[in-house]
Amino acid sequence: MACHSRPTTIVLSVEKKFYIETFGCQMNAHDSEKVVGTLLAKGYSQVDTPEEAGYVFYNTCSIRDKAEQKVFNRLQSFKRTGKGKIFAVLGCVAQQEGEKIFDRAPHVSLVAGSASYTKLPEMLIQLEAGNKRVTGLSLEATEAFDTPFTRRDNPHRAYLTIIEGCDKSCSYCVVPFTRGPERSRTSASVIDEATKLADSGYTEVQLLGQNVNSYRDPSPAGWDFATLLDRVGAVPGIRRVRFTTSHPRDFVKPIIDAIDANANLCNHVHLPVQSGSSRILEGMRRLYTREQYMERISWMRGARRPIAITTDIIVGFPGETERDFEDTLELLDEVQYDSLFAFKYSARPNTGALKLEDHISEEEKTRRLAVLNERQRAIQIRRNSELIGAVEEVHVEGRHHSLGQWIGRTSQNRTLNFSGHEAEAMIGTYLPVRVTRAGPHSLVGESVL
Ligand code: 5AD
Ligand code: SF4
């Protein structure tokens, strides 16, 4: 390299700079952290805008059509001005659309799904050698993308992947196609990573997987998810363990027993129900009925600490009648969720639900979504107000400069912003805070120190 003339050196330095934008879920956010760590370790540097970068990476989501369109809009905006840059599409849209992306966006040179990221440095070398079209689309069930170079975005709460892929086949979902079959990491490598995180100052970890409940240690120790959860909570230095996401079919009582037995396991469970109608659940191929789902809820309600329960719901699944939708609204009243994410059904390529009849109009889906969100908002206002006067332990995550408040999060995963205590290095600490006000989405309080 030393013999290059000066202008070439400038070009090279731009080429070694990358910009990455991430769409979608926490799995994607964490994949991007791994990609960033891997590239930094190979001598690349990260920049804040695509304009400064030689490489522009989009780590994409295809769970709903809207998410998928976002990346094509981004790519479109660089069609003319992106000359000289290398555009890469990573993640779920890459896996789903494969080489078709080159036709749709000819200025893209790399298309790689999440199972191929270990090979990313080699793929970049191919591009640097002048190759114009590089793909990494194999979904071979190799080990989870495990890298010693993860560069985490949040200095206090760390994502930790325990299982990749999904072996369920919910009829609306692209994930089994984009992330492949389930692969669990060994318990030793999970505990090793949790220990390293604790040693480097992290006190909160979030175990990640498309279906963490079906975790099965591939090593002879053979731990199930409840055992893994308990052991991660016992790693010295770890004060909070969260996990996402759970499938009701594989959600077993020992998980609640573990939360009961170990105060480091957060009292929050995200348990996506998708619909309150057993008929629709069957069409979705969710493998449980409303009654079986409610049995899991009763385990949680019987726990020693109050467990916050959150969920995901899809409205307007093909064939969803007004009666089915009413069943979902009644389920909200029955469970009294602490929060939920609701989505309009979006038809996805390759999925079983494409073949179903009675697709619901966009207008009706929009109406149902609004009705559902309104119903839930009232529940949240009531539930959150019940906390006024209570003292909650918060993990301090940041500072709202404009409001003059600290940002905190409770074990139940509620945002509790507070004032009343000013000290150096508050961020990352745990403090008792009294709740003084409640809104539908967050709480406000005063430090009791
Ligand atoms: N349409 C709408 N929502 C979907 N989800 C998954 N697939 C679809 C789809 N095709 C929702 C589910 C899931 C969440 C992550 O996204 O509620 O739990
Ligand atoms: Fe999709 Fe169902 Fe797997 Fe969740 S469990 S990722 S909804 S197929």
Side-chain angles (χ1 to χ4, degrees):
M1 295 281 168
C3 62
H4 278 303
S5 61
R6 210 159 164 253
T8 318
T9 311
I10 291 167
V11 172
L12 269 181
S13 71
V14 173
E15 280 175 358
K16 283 281 183 188
K17 289 182 182 163
F18 68 93
Y19 167 82
I20 185 163
E21 182 173 358
T22 309
F23 303 91
C25 64
Q26 287 142 329
M27 298 285 286
N28 260 17
H30 189 34
D31 281 345
S32 286
E33 291 179 337
K34 295 177 195 178
V35 166
V36 169
T38 304
L39 294 181
L40 293 179
K42 291 283 174 194
Y44 295 83
S45 63
Q46 190 176 8
V47 291
D48 294 333
T49 63
E51 287 72 23
E52 297 163 76
Y55 281 97
V56 179
F57 293 100
Y58 293 114
N59 191 4
T60 61
C61 170
S62 66
I63 196 99
R64 284 167 292 275
D65 186 55
K66 237 186 186 170
E68 183 180 333
Q69 293 319 319
K70 271 191 197 155
V71 65
F72 288 107
N73 294 341
R74 286 286 194 289
L75 287 168
Q76 188 64 26
S77 65
F78 283 106
K79 210 168 177 179
R80 249 173 251 113
T81 57
K83 285 223 160 51
K85 296 185 194 301
I86 291 180
F87 287 90
V89 177
L90 309 179
C92 295
V93 176
Q95 196 66 52
Q96 181 189 292
E97 296 298 302
E99 299 190 355
K100 280 188 267 170
I101 292 175
F102 296 134
D103 301 331
R104 227 169 134 179
H107 52 309
V108 169
S109 318
L110 172 65
V111 173
S114 62
S116 309
Y117 295 162
T118 38
K119 303 203 188 82
L120 205 52
E122 294 158 41
M123 294 192 277
L124 295 190
I125 288 169
Q126 287 182 39
L127 289 170
E128 281 157 20
N131 206 328
K132 294 274 180 285
R133 295 271 190 264
V134 176
T135 55
L137 297 168
S138 152
L139 266 182
E140 263 166 53
T142 50
E143 79 288 359
F145 179 37
D146 205 353
T147 159
F149 308 118
T150 306
R151 206 295 322 269
R152 288 178 162 87
D153 291 335
N154 181 320
H156 305 287
R157 177 160 29 108
Y159 294 133
L160 200 172
T161 310
I162 62 167
I163 179 168
E164 298 264 5
C166 182
D167 280 351
K168 295 277 183 292
S169 36
C170 301
S171 64
Y172 52 79
C173 189
V174 282
V175 167
F177 306 99
T178 60
R179 288 191 167 267
E182 278 178 5
R183 292 90 77 199
S184 291
R185 276 174 73 183
T186 63
S187 55
S189 79
V190 172
I191 297 297
D192 182 55
E193 188 168 353
T195 307
K196 285 194 181 121
L197 288 169
D199 290 347
S200 58
Y202 288 95
T203 56
E204 182 170 332
V205 294
Q206 181 157 5
L207 307 183
L208 290 184
Q210 227 62 55
N211 177 7
V212 290
N213 310 138
S214 69
Y215 173 83
R216 179 55 73 173
D217 182 2
S219 71
W223 294 357
D224 60 10
F225 176 62
T227 309
L228 183 79
L229 194 57
D230 183 58
R231 303 291 164 85
V232 174
V235 168
I238 297 296
R239 279 186 67 163
R240 282 188 177 178
V241 185
R242 302 186 182 281
F243 54 95
T244 196
T245 189
S246 288
H247 191 292
R249 168 82 173 204
D250 303 316
F251 192 92
V252 291
K253 177 105 184 348
I255 298 172
I256 302 298
D257 298 339
I259 295 176
D260 267 346
N262 188 338
N264 288 347
L265 307 183
C266 288
N267 46 343
H268 168 220
V269 174
H270 184 68
L271 196 64
V273 65
Q274 313 300 357
S275 169
S277 154
S278 292
R279 203 180 68 81
I280 294 297
L281 289 172
E282 202 182 328
M284 289 176 164
R285 284 199 248 127
R286 287 291 285 177
L287 311 174
Y288 54 85
T289 60
R290 176 183 175 130
E291 290 65 36
Q292 288 164 331
Y293 182 85
M294 286 310 297
E295 189 187 15
R296 274 94 183 133
I297 299 294
S298 69
W299 296 339
M300 289 189 239
R301 294 294 180 224
R304 292 204 197 109
R305 285 177 289 157
I307 294 185
I309 307 173
T310 58
T311 201
D312 292 343
I313 288 182
I314 297 176
V315 298
F317 184 77
E320 185 187 69
T321 61
E322 191 56 37
R323 179 64 251 166
D324 294 316
F325 179 58
E326 280 294 323
D327 286 347
T328 300
L329 295 177
E330 282 163 21
L331 183 88
L332 302 195
D333 293 340
E334 198 176 338
V335 177
Q336 296 281 305
Y337 288 109
D338 294 275
S339 162
L340 59 74
F341 297 104
F343 310 99
K344 293 191 268 186
Y345 168 73
S346 166
R348 306 311 295 132
N350 308 316
T351 58
L354 285 179
K355 294 190 205 85
L356 298 178
E357 289 172 0
D358 296 330
H359 280 261
I360 312 291
S361 72
E362 199 53 30
E363 201 184 359
E364 180 57 14
K365 284 190 231 172
T366 304
R367 188 192 70 82
R368 290 183 191 180
L369 185 69
V371 169
L372 185 127
N373 280 332
E374 196 45 46
R375 185 85 147 233
Q376 178 59 22
R377 187 182 151 87
I379 293 173
Q380 283 176 211
I381 290 176
R382 207 184 44 69
R383 278 186 84 71
N384 284 347
S385 349
E386 283 168 5
L387 290 168
I388 294 175
V391 174
E392 298 272 335
E393 184 191 68
V394 300
H395 188 189
V396 186
E397 291 190 339
R399 175 91 179 154
H400 251 311
H401 290 286
S402 56
L403 298 176
Q405 285 176 336
W406 296 100
I407 303 167
R409 190 175 293 274
T410 70
S411 171
Q412 289 194 323
N413 207 33
R414 285 191 166 81
T415 300
L416 171 46
N417 298 332
F418 66 99
S419 48
H421 186 76
E422 300 290 329
E424 291 273 303
M426 290 260 287
I427 296 173
T429 63
Y430 291 80
L431 288 178
V433 172
R434 187 181 309 282
V435 179
T436 53
R437 277 187 289 137
H441 302 294
S442 63
L443 305 169
V444 177
E446 294 279 332
S447 159
V448 294
L449 271 193

